Amino acid sequence: MKHILLSFAIILLIVSCTETKKTEEPISISSEDLHASIDKVTEIMIHDIFSPPVASRIFAYPNIAAYEIMTLHNDDYNSLAGQLKELTPIPKPDATKKINYELAAMVAHIELNKRLIFSEDKMEVFRDSLYQIWRTKNETVFTDSKKYGLEVAEHIAAWMAKDNYNQTRTMPKFTVNTDDPSRWQPTPPAYMESIEPHWNKIRPFAMDSAAQFKPIPPPVFSLEKDSDFYKELIEVYNISNQITTKGDTSEEIKIAQFWDCNPYVSVTRGHLMFATKKITPGAHWMGITKIASRKTNSDFHKTLYAYTKASIAMADAFISCWDEKYRSNLIRPETLINEHIDQNWKPVLQTPPFPEYTSGHSVVSGAASTALTDIFGDNFSFDDDTELPYGLPVRSFSSFNKAADEAAISRMYGGIHYRAAVEIGVKQGRDLGKFVINKIKMSNKIMVAKN
């Protein structure tokens, strides 16, 4: 009997040691986990249909939360507290706890993603699958890290709640001025209301104010054929006719479609109207950030740094751009061409529902490309496969700036912007991007990658 009991005790000890070993396995967090979180929230944003400005806000806050945790464990990076408007230091971690800072950063990232979208259940499924993996590897570390990550998420959420977003949800709708022929009018096929007319009231992240990078005014409105404005209007019409004559083989049409990034395109089939959904301009540049991070084999920390810097630049770019859009309140080419030149003309791309000047994609691309160039260097060649899920082929670029230039001119090829909006817009974005990288000291070392 004693031998049996001894054998049983030995078996229990072996099983106990095995279980202990199983639950003490290190939890490794990689850049792929971060890519997956951003890909998931992008997927949900497409499903929920968020406008480009709102989407930029959704990207920024989770990245900042995760980045702030990461800086506690890596002296190469500086906290954004005191650098971004009204951001205070995150809570200090409990030194007695076994915190994996990369894991805590992922928890904060996922938690804020969940709070910022509508379809929370979709993010919860993604979250729970990761939680199960991490908990199985080391329950103590997972529990301590999760608790801290949620504390930081609460801190960032409290800061986020004061950015005026909630207040803008109840502000008056935009009033269309039908008496002034230069002012924006709703465009076909859905004639949607203009979106986010109060976005310039959102608290900036790095900018001093929404108007800090106010561009020069657009050409003075005039339908006189020798005026600068009319020349830009007829240029849109002529380019559109030239490239549509070439059909699907037109390189300009391919460029326009690649950079369309319209989250809600209305399609009419007989009496039926439905929407096709795609990524926003910000999501496209988040995709480019992922491509650059993977190409350089960037670790979790550098990848998070890149996402955070790019998303801050883009969030402020939308605030800056929307400030000008509703100041100049300029009419779109489609409206004028249909009224004064060709009533049957349609742009290559569907005109988005907000004023024309400046071009949002141009401003945002200018800002994002400047931020990424600061991280990965100029002449950084890459193959952009971001649009593959939408049936569009890969396009290759020799630098982020070249990609931004193409994104800007794509709006004129698409028939939705005049030349001034894209050329001045991309400059507006680059000026803002330079300001962000000079004002916010995020890294303590030079990390330009060899390409």
Side-chain angles (χ1 to χ4, degrees):
M1 184 66 178
K2 290 182 179 179
H3 291 296
I4 294 174
L5 290 174
L6 181 60
S7 298
F8 184 67
I10 292 172
I11 292 171
L12 286 176
L13 181 61
I14 293 172
V15 171
S16 176
C17 289
T18 302
E19 289 299 316
T20 300
K21 183 177 181 181
K22 180 180 179 182
T23 59
E24 289 183 352
E25 182 180 345
I27 302 175
S28 178
I29 304 296
S30 75
S31 56
E32 290 304 314
D33 294 305
L34 187 57
H35 295 323
S37 184
I38 289 176
D39 286 348
K40 175 53 66 173
V41 77
T42 299
E43 174 191 313
I44 296 171
M45 280 195 282
I46 294 169
H47 175 273
D48 290 348
I49 310 179
F50 285 98
S51 69
V54 177
S56 73
R57 179 177 182 267
I58 295 174
F59 283 125
Y61 283 109
N63 285 332
I64 292 168
Y67 175 86
E68 286 298 280
I69 294 174
M70 182 265 284
T71 62
L72 298 176
H73 197 55
N74 190 329
D75 292 337
D76 290 333
Y77 301 93
N78 301 315
S79 169
L80 296 170
Q83 299 198 74
L84 300 185
K85 277 189 175 294
E86 300 178 7
L87 177 61
T88 56
I90 60 175
K92 292 183 179 180
D94 185 340
T96 67
K97 301 297 182 180
K98 296 181 178 180
I99 297 175
N100 178 319
Y101 289 93
E102 289 82 6
L103 195 158
M106 284 298 303
V107 168
H109 195 271
I110 294 169
E111 175 64 21
L112 284 172
N113 279 335
K114 181 176 74 70
R115 296 187 186 196
L116 285 161
I117 43 86
F118 298 142
S119 301
E120 293 185 17
D121 58 318
K122 296 180 183 295
M123 184 57 72
E124 287 170 355
V125 171
F126 171 77
R127 176 200 66 189
D128 293 346
S129 65
L130 289 177
Y131 278 11
Q132 180 60 33
I133 294 170
W134 296 334
R135 181 184 289 108
T136 301
K137 288 185 176 181
N138 194 315
E139 186 161 5
T140 300
V141 171
F142 168 74
T143 300
D144 290 349
S145 304
K146 176 188 172 185
K147 183 176 183 295
Y148 183 61
L150 293 177
E151 286 179 9
V152 174
E154 287 292 341
H155 182 85
I156 298 299
W159 171 57
M160 178 176 70
K162 298 177 182 178
D163 72 354
N164 297 324
Y165 176 80
N166 291 332
Q167 289 83 344
T168 62
R169 301 308 90 189
T170 59
M171 289 179 181
K173 294 181 179 180
F174 179 70
T175 302
V176 176
N177 185 344
T178 57
D179 296 328
D180 187 339
S182 72
R183 301 306 184 185
W184 179 84
Q185 305 288 328
T187 50
Y191 295 93
M192 295 173 61
E193 294 179 342
S194 192
I195 65 168
E196 300 300 341
H198 304 289
W199 200 253
N200 67 340
K201 297 178 179 66
I202 299 294
R203 178 188 60 204
F205 288 87
M207 291 189 299
D208 299 330
S209 71
Q212 183 176 356
F213 293 92
K214 176 183 176 181
I216 61 172
V220 176
F221 177 82
S222 171
L223 294 179
E224 296 294 327
K225 293 187 178 181
D226 61 346
S227 68
D228 290 339
F229 182 86
Y230 188 84
K231 289 175 184 177
E232 290 204 2
L233 174 64
I234 202 68
E235 180 184 28
V236 173
Y237 178 68
N238 290 337
I239 288 177
S240 175
N241 288 340
Q242 291 168 10
I243 64 179
T244 52
T245 299
K246 301 176 187 177
D248 293 338
T249 61
S250 167
E251 179 67 7
E252 292 89 350
I253 288 180
K254 292 177 182 178
I255 290 171
Q257 291 174 339
F258 184 79
W259 293 102
D260 186 13
C261 301
N262 188 340
Y264 186 96
V265 177
S266 299
V267 180
T268 303
R269 300 280 170 79
H271 296 291
L272 178 67
M273 179 176 282
F274 59 94
T276 59
K277 304 176 184 179
K278 290 179 286 187
I279 58 175
T280 62
H284 193 134
W285 281 98
M286 286 287 96
I288 291 174
T289 305
K290 176 174 69 174
I291 291 166
S293 297
R294 281 178 170 169
K295 181 172 181 179
T296 54
N297 295 315
S298 295
D299 61 13
F300 178 86
H301 294 188
K302 184 177 178 181
T303 298
L304 179 53
Y305 162 63
Y307 275 130
T308 305
K309 179 175 279 192
S311 61
I312 290 170
M314 288 192 290
D316 270 4
F318 273 109
I319 295 171
S320 176
C321 180
W322 253 244
D323 177 61
E324 177 56 38
K325 279 186 178 295
Y326 287 94
R327 178 187 298 108
S328 52
N329 189 17
L330 186 61
I331 194 165
R332 289 278 184 169
E334 182 172 14
T335 306
L336 292 178
I337 291 171
N338 287 163
E339 288 181 356
H340 300 283
I341 300 173
D342 183 350
Q343 64 179 357
N344 296 316
W345 181 84
K346 292 182 179 179
V348 171
L349 302 179
Q350 189 169 117
T351 302
F354 36 81
E356 190 272 342
Y357 187 82
T358 47
S359 157
H361 214 326
S362 302
V363 179
V364 170
S365 296
S369 62
T370 301
L372 293 178
T373 298
D374 183 61
I375 299 167
F376 298 103
D378 203 356
N379 302 316
F380 185 98
S381 62
F382 62 97
D383 298 323
D384 187 355
D385 61 0
T386 309
E387 298 290 336
L388 279 178
Y390 312 99
L392 298 172
V394 174
R395 291 189 68 81
S396 299
F397 301 97
S398 59
S399 71
F400 301 114
N401 286 322
K402 292 291 186 183
D405 288 339
E406 185 177 282
I409 198 64
S410 75
R411 316 314 271 172
M412 197 167 76
Y413 293 157
I416 62 177
H417 277 293
Y418 312 108
R419 182 175 291 278
V422 302
E423 292 184 349
I424 296 172
V426 78
K427 179 184 183 301
Q428 179 183 355
R430 284 185 171 132
D431 289 345
L432 187 155
K434 291 173 185 175
F435 172 81
V436 169
I437 63 178
N438 289 328
K439 179 179 180 180
I440 303 176
K441 305 303 181 184
M442 296 179 68
S443 174
N444 292 322
K445 64 177 183 177
I446 297 175
M447 294 185 296
V448 174
K450 294 181 178 180
N451 184 27

